[in-house]
Structure formats: C-alpha cells, structure tokens
C-alpha cells in the first residue's frame, strides 16, 4: 500500500509477518502483557476503551486507529522464520530505516525539550515520539512537510461512520478533517478531532494548533503521553501511556520495537526522503490507500482486489463471512509531486554579515545573515536554516541556546538571533546549514574580547605610609570605568616597580604576601567586581625606606601608579 492508510476496522488483523513477529517480540519487549483463556493477547496496563477526557467511542488519541505494522530491521543477522517469502510480505531492512527526516526529527526533539521543562517528572524520550510517528504516519509520509512543519497535504483516515470502523459522529463541523458528518483521524500523529480539541498544542510558535503540523502534533502527543503524572522511565507506565494512545497490544509491541531501535541510534535525512512503511494493520495483500489521501509517486498504490472471506474474530462485527468487495475503479496515475523549496536550494550565500566582535558579557552588534539560493542564484523562500555555535565558548544566541533555526523570508534570507558573548574570550564559529539537505554550510568566525577599562582612580586620597618592617594601615582600593561607565569584571595586574621609567619588578621595599606568607611583588589574575572596584591585599614594608611605586594595569589600557612611602617614625 502507499504511504497513506485508512483507519482500522474492528476485528481486523495485521499482516502475516507483523502478526507473528509482534507475537515473538511480546515477551521481551512488552512487560505486563499476558494471555487470556481464549489465547488473545491482553495488557494488564491497558486503559479503558474510550478516551478518559472525551468519553468518545473508540479509545485513545486516535480512536484505536490502524497503524503501520512494518518492524525495524531484525536484531539477529540470521533470517527470521516469520519472514517467509511465500507470505508476500517482508520486514523492512537496512540502515535507511534509522533515518528520520530533518524537520520531523527536529519536532520530536523540541517536544522532548519542552516536556523536560514543563513536566520533568514524565521523562519523555523523543525516541518514543519517533516510534509513534513511525507507526502512525511513516514520519509524516517520509517527511513531506514544508519549512514550518506542516504536511503538504492532510493525512486523513476514512470516515468513522461505524461501517467497518468505530462510530464517531462529527465533533468539529469538519474544521480539522473536512468532514461535517463523521470524524476522521488527522495529521502525522493521527489525532481524532474530539481529542485534538483539548489536547492540541502550538509547537512551532505560529499562534495556531494544527494537527497537520508536525511540531504541533508532536508536542500534543508528548503532553498526551505524560498525562496522569506518568513517569515514562517506568516501563509499566510507558506501556499504559502507549496503550492509552491506541488500545492494542500489537500496537504496543510495534511501538516498543521502534523505540528500542531508535534508541540504538538514528541519523537525519533530508525532508521528503524518509523510508515509507508498506503494511497497515487494516490491510490485506490487495488493499489500497484511502481515497482521501492519494499515493505518492515513490510508493504507487496496488489496485484493489476482492477480499477473501474470513472467519469472524472474537469481538468482531457480525457472525458471518463478509461479502467480497467489488474491485475498486481504476484511477489515473498520480501526477509528479513538485519539489519542495528545500529541494531547490543549491547553496548558501552570505547576506552582508559584518564583523562579529563583542566584549565578554555583552551582545554582538552584528547578526549572522545568509541567503538560500537556487542554481540560478535566486533566493528561495520558506527554507529552514540552522545556525550552530561551534567551539570552546560559552557564547549563546539570545535565549541561551547554542542552536537556532530560522525560516528564510521572501528574498531567501535568514538572519540568526543576536549572539551574546559569555566570559570565555577568543574565537568561535557560527555555522549555517540548510535543514533537510546535505549541502556545504557557511562558517563565520566570531571573537570575544576581554572586558576593558580606560580609566583607573583611587577611591580614597589618604596617603599610604608605613614604617620599616611594618604594614600599611590602608589597603589600596581602585575603581575602573570604560567610557565613563562602570567597568566590572575587568582583568588587572598589580606590580611594585623600580621607578616610573623602569616597570620591572622591584627587589626591595613594600611587598604583598602569598597564601604561604611568602613575599611577592606582582599580583596577577585580579578582577574588578561588578561595581568596577578592585581592592588589593594588604601591603607590608621591609627595612628599606623611601618612596616606592605600585603600578596597576587593566585590560583595555587603563594604568594607575600609586605612591607608597616608608619612613621611620618621627621621634
């Protein structure tokens, strides 16, 4: 079947391979799963059928919808006995399965970060969202989303009209699913409208809650899974959350299989190039996609064939074999899908970014700006550009992040948020790349210079005097400013020098003491406080008398020379 699928008919079974493989996985990957007297799988952690919030027919966020049954590559290199070529179905293999489209992956990780801040006790892993997104929509049809994360066409299930499916009369007047008579599951995470009405979230900050937007849907799914104060690091609670999303033990095992697979490692692939699943829990060898979601050119649909009569399952609808379906009318081949804006980008060009220099602790006056261009050097709008800070630095973008993603405007230009320098000085790199494409990026060198002072003054005019062998009664206290403003956290050094013309360290006269009480005449690693004040340690005098000089220097060039007098006490 194609990348789009219809919703589950009550009592429908999975494909032969998926059914056997899931059963084999149940013991090791689904703690809490047991078997009842009839041999049907049941989960002790299952939630009641019907959503606890809405009480609608059909359970969970999706109304107990169908899902993709494709399993990740087998852990064992040996052939699986369930993957018989005579069944006509195979389990997906190859490293391509580990690839997640860039924008979809970004949505999962942003949702995890938001839940980590708002519900830290939930411990939601983004890999769980990826696993659910895989089985619900094949990662938004392999990442067919625009720069804002919205699918190029809606992902809709069939009418939930009770005819082979759950019966859910319209609850949204067709606002989400376009159907004014019956509800349909909607979007990359397949929410039914009645659940989306209260569970929907705005994950991309555009002021809307759109179930067809992967950022909105991923964040909504995260909040849905974290309900009831669940801790998803506890396996039984994770099982309960997944079953509450879609109340099916086979669904639970399939999601857990993908969760385990993604936890072992994934990689980013360009949008629109993700691996598409091919088997649905309500499909048979002759099934075809829902007419509301036409197939993409990369996964042509199989013409419908009459279904084979089957024995009713316990709890299924009806007690006799269903009447064979007539062949579906043939439809013309789908027209080629036009390239996305991201796919038309050939390279990035600098957009007049100026020199990136800032003093430690201050904002950079220049922002990094780039332009996404086609081969014809025309600007490409609606392309996601990622800016990443690289290097040994504590500089960040405004908001404290080291990575920022910006969508290009009508001229193809994307401007990064303002850079804010930390306390580490030196150079670092800001790299700009196109999200969803493997293209060369642009690197910009940014420099953080030390905090500076251009003026030093004493905070007191009291003469600094001492008798030979004694200690100075007053400590030297200075204040640093830069262009008239307080210069806080400015590095400084203090040295007892030989003379005004000889700045080498003196070998006699006043001195400081180190932590061991030893004589030292040079102090390094000094820093002014937040008010620009620098208070030096106590000074002591040896037996030499006369006028001595203490010179203090700061980053930025401020210099102050202080006189110290050592004389015998008056008789």
């Amino acid at each position: 079947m194609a990348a789009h699928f219809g919703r589950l008919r009550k009592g429908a079974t999975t494909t032969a391979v998926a059914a056997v493989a899931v059963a084999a996985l149940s013991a090791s990957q689904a703690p809490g799963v047991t078997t009842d007297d009839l041999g049907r799988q049941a989960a002790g952690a299952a939630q009641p059928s019907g959503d606890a919030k809405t009480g609608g027919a059909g359970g969970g966020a999706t109304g107990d919808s169908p899902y993709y049954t494709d399993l990740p590559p087998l852990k064992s290199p040996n052939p699986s006995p369930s993957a018989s070529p005579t069944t006509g179905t195979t389990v997906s293999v190859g490293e391509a399965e580990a690839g997640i489209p860039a924008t979809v992956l970004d949505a999962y990780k942003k949702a995890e970060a938001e839940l980590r801040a708002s519900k830290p006790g939930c411990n939601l892993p983004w890999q769980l969202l990826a696993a659910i997104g895989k089985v619900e929509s094949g990662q938004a049809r392999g990442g067919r989303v625009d720069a804002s994360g919205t699918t190029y066409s809606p992902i809709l299930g069939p009418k939930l009209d009770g005819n082979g499916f759950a019966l859910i009369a319209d609850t949204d007047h067709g606002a989400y699913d376009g159907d004014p008579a019956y509800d349909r599951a909607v979007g990359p995470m397949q929410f039914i409208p009645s659940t989306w009405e209260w569970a929907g979230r705005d994950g991309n900050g555009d002021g809307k809650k759109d179930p067809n937007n992967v950022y909105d849907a991923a964040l909504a799914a995260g909040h849905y899974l974290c309900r009831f104060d669940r801790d998803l690091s506890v396996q039984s609670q994770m099982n309960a959350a997944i079953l509450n999303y879609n109340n099916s033990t086979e669904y639970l095992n399939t999601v857990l299989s993908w969760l385990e697979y993604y936890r072992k490692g994934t990689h980013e692939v360009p949008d629109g190039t993700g691996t598409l699943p091919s088997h649905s829990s309500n499909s048979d060898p002759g099934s075809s996609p829902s007419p509301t979601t036409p197939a993409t050119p990369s996964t042509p649909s199989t013409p419908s064939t009459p279904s084979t009569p089957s024995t009713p399952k316990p709890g299924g609808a009806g007690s006799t074999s269903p009447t064979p379906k007539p062949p579906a009318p043939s439809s013309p081949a789908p027209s080629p899908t036009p390239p996305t804006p991201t796919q038309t980008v050939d390279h990035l060009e600098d957009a007049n970014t100026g020199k990136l220099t800032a003093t430690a602790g201050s904002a950079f006056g220049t922002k990094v700006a780039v332009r996404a261009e086609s081969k014809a050097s025309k600007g490409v709008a609606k392309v996601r550009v990622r800016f990443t800070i690289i290097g040994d630095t504590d500089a960040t973008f405004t908001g404290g992040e080291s990575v920022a993603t910006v969508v290009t405007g009508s001229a193809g230009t994307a401007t990064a948020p303002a850079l804010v320098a930390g306390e580490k000085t030196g150079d670092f790199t800001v790299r700009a790349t196109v999200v969803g494409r493997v293209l060369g990026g642009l690197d910009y060198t940014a420099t953080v210079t030390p905090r500076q002072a251009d003026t030093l003054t004493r905070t007191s005019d009291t003469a600094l005097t001492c008798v030979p062998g004694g200690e100075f009664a007053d400590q030297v206290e200075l204040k640093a400013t830069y262009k008239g403003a307080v210069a806080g956290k400015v590095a400084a050094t203090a040295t007892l020098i030989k003379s005004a013309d000889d700045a080498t360290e003196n070998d006699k006269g006043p001195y400081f003491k180190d932590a061991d009480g030893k004589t030292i005449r040079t102090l390094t690693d000094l820093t002014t406080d937040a008010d620009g004040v620098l208070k030096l340690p106590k000074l002591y005098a040896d037996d030499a008398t006369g006028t001595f000089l203490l010179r203090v220097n700061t980053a930025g060039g401020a210099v102050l020379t202080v006189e110290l007098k050592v004389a015998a006490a008056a008789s």
Side-chain angles (χ1 to χ4, degrees):
M1 61 174 291
H4 320 74
F5 52 87
R7 312 310 291 162
L8 180 63
R9 294 168 292 178
K10 294 181 180 178
T13 60
T14 60
T15 60
V17 170
V20 177
V22 167
L25 285 165
S26 63
S28 61
Q29 296 188 349
V33 174
T34 59
T35 303
D36 64 17
D37 293 338
L38 297 177
R40 297 173 300 190
Q41 286 185 326
Q47 299 296 312
S49 181
D51 190 89
K53 178 80 176 180
T54 64
T62 69
D64 287 348
S65 309
Y67 52 90
Y68 284 120
T69 57
D70 298 57
L71 294 174
L74 297 175
K75 299 176 184 177
S76 170
N78 298 322
S80 168
S82 64
S84 171
T86 61
T87 64
T89 56
T90 57
V91 175
S92 301
V93 295
E95 294 182 358
E97 285 292 350
I100 300 178
T103 299
V104 180
L105 179 60
D106 188 51
Y108 297 148
K109 291 185 175 181
K110 285 188 183 302
E112 179 199 53
E114 197 278 341
L115 266 300
R116 191 186 306 124
S118 62
K119 295 183 179 180
C122 178
N123 295 306
L124 171 77
W126 67 260
Q127 291 92 342
L128 177 57
L129 296 176
I132 291 176
K134 180 70 173 181
V135 302
E136 290 292 350
S137 66
Q139 311 296 20
R141 301 193 192 114
R144 294 290 301 164
V145 296
D146 63 18
S148 67
T150 302
T151 58
Y152 284 110
S153 58
I155 302 177
L156 297 173
K159 297 178 181 180
L160 299 177
D161 57 6
N163 184 21
F165 305 97
L167 174 59
I168 305 180
D170 175 64
T171 62
D172 64 332
H173 304 289
Y176 297 124
D177 56 15
D179 192 326
Y182 299 97
D183 274 352
R184 303 178 178 212
V186 184
M189 305 302 274
Q190 289 290 277
F191 279 93
I192 54 175
S194 58
T195 303
W196 183 261
E197 187 61 32
W198 60 267
R201 294 292 193 278
D202 177 14
N204 62 351
D206 63 357
K208 297 182 295 184
K209 299 176 182 179
D210 182 1
N212 283 300
N213 182 279
V214 70
Y215 287 95
D216 296 357
L219 184 58
H223 277 280
Y224 189 93
L225 293 164
C226 288
R227 295 186 305 157
F228 311 125
D229 295 324
R230 291 190 181 104
D231 180 358
L232 301 185
S233 65
V234 178
Q235 188 63 52
S236 61
Q237 296 190 39
M238 176 182 283
N239 291 354
I242 297 170
L243 287 165
N244 195 217
Y245 203 90
N246 190 317
N247 194 13
S248 159
T249 303
E250 289 82 2
Y251 179 86
L252 168 66
N253 290 325
T254 305
V255 169
L256 290 176
S257 297
W258 282 105
L259 170 62
E260 179 69 16
Y261 181 68
Y262 285 142
R263 275 178 164 165
K264 292 182 177 180
T266 61
H267 59 274
E268 179 182 293
V269 298
D271 289 343
T273 66
T275 301
L276 297 174
S278 56
H279 308 109
S280 171
S281 62
N282 74 324
S283 63
D284 54 45
S287 66
S288 60
S290 166
T292 61
T293 52
T296 60
S298 59
T299 55
S301 60
T302 303
S304 297
T305 60
S307 60
T308 303
S310 58
T311 302
K313 300 294 180 180
S319 59
T320 61
S321 299
T323 302
K325 294 179 293 185
S330 60
S331 57
S335 58
T337 303
T340 66
T342 300
Q343 291 170 333
T344 65
V345 176
D346 179 71
H347 60 276
L348 287 176
E349 285 288 337
D350 176 56
N352 298 318
T353 301
K355 188 175 182 180
L356 298 170
T357 304
T359 302
S362 64
F364 284 73
T366 300
K367 297 180 181 180
V368 177
V370 299
R371 188 168 184 258
E373 294 186 351
S374 64
K375 285 186 178 182
S377 296
K378 293 184 178 180
V380 182
K382 298 182 179 181
V383 173
R384 296 173 65 82
V385 176
R386 180 178 297 145
F387 298 93
T388 306
I389 295 174
I390 301 171
D392 183 17
T393 181
D394 54 358
T396 65
F397 293 112
T398 302
E401 300 293 335
S402 60
V403 178
T405 303
V406 180
V407 179
T408 59
S410 59
T413 301
T415 302
L419 285 165
V420 179
E423 295 303 320
K424 288 186 178 180
T425 60
D427 294 341
F428 63 92
T429 300
V430 179
R431 178 167 297 164
T433 56
V434 176
V435 176
R437 289 294 306 276
V438 181
L439 296 174
L442 293 180
D443 284 352
Y444 295 84
T445 300
T447 303
V448 179
T449 59
R451 297 171 186 263
Q452 301 178 35
D454 55 16
T455 305
L456 275 174
T457 57
R458 281 191 64 198
T459 59
S460 170
D461 57 4
T462 302
L464 298 169
T465 61
C466 183
V467 297
E471 65 180 50
F472 287 81
D474 297 309
Q475 290 177 245
V476 178
E477 186 177 89
L478 311 172
K479 186 165 186 176
T481 57
Y482 182 70
K483 296 183 179 180
V486 169
K489 300 182 180 180
V490 175
T493 60
T495 305
L496 290 152
I497 61 176
K498 290 184 177 179
S499 69
D501 298 324
D502 186 355
T504 58
E505 181 182 286
N506 208 340
D507 54 3
K508 63 181 179 178
Y511 60 90
F512 300 105
K513 291 181 179 180
D514 64 13
D516 297 324
K518 295 180 180 179
T519 297
I520 56 172
R521 290 189 169 88
T522 298
L523 297 176
T524 58
D525 298 326
L526 301 173
T527 306
T528 63
D529 64 17
D531 296 322
V533 175
L534 176 63
K535 191 172 185 177
L536 299 182
K538 276 190 174 184
L539 279 161
Y540 302 87
D542 59 13
D543 294 334
T545 60
T547 298
F548 300 90
L549 301 179
L550 169 67
R551 180 163 292 172
V552 181
N553 300 270
T554 71
V559 180
L560 180 66
T561 303
V562 180
E563 286 191 351
L564 307 172
K565 294 184 179 181
V566 180
S571 58

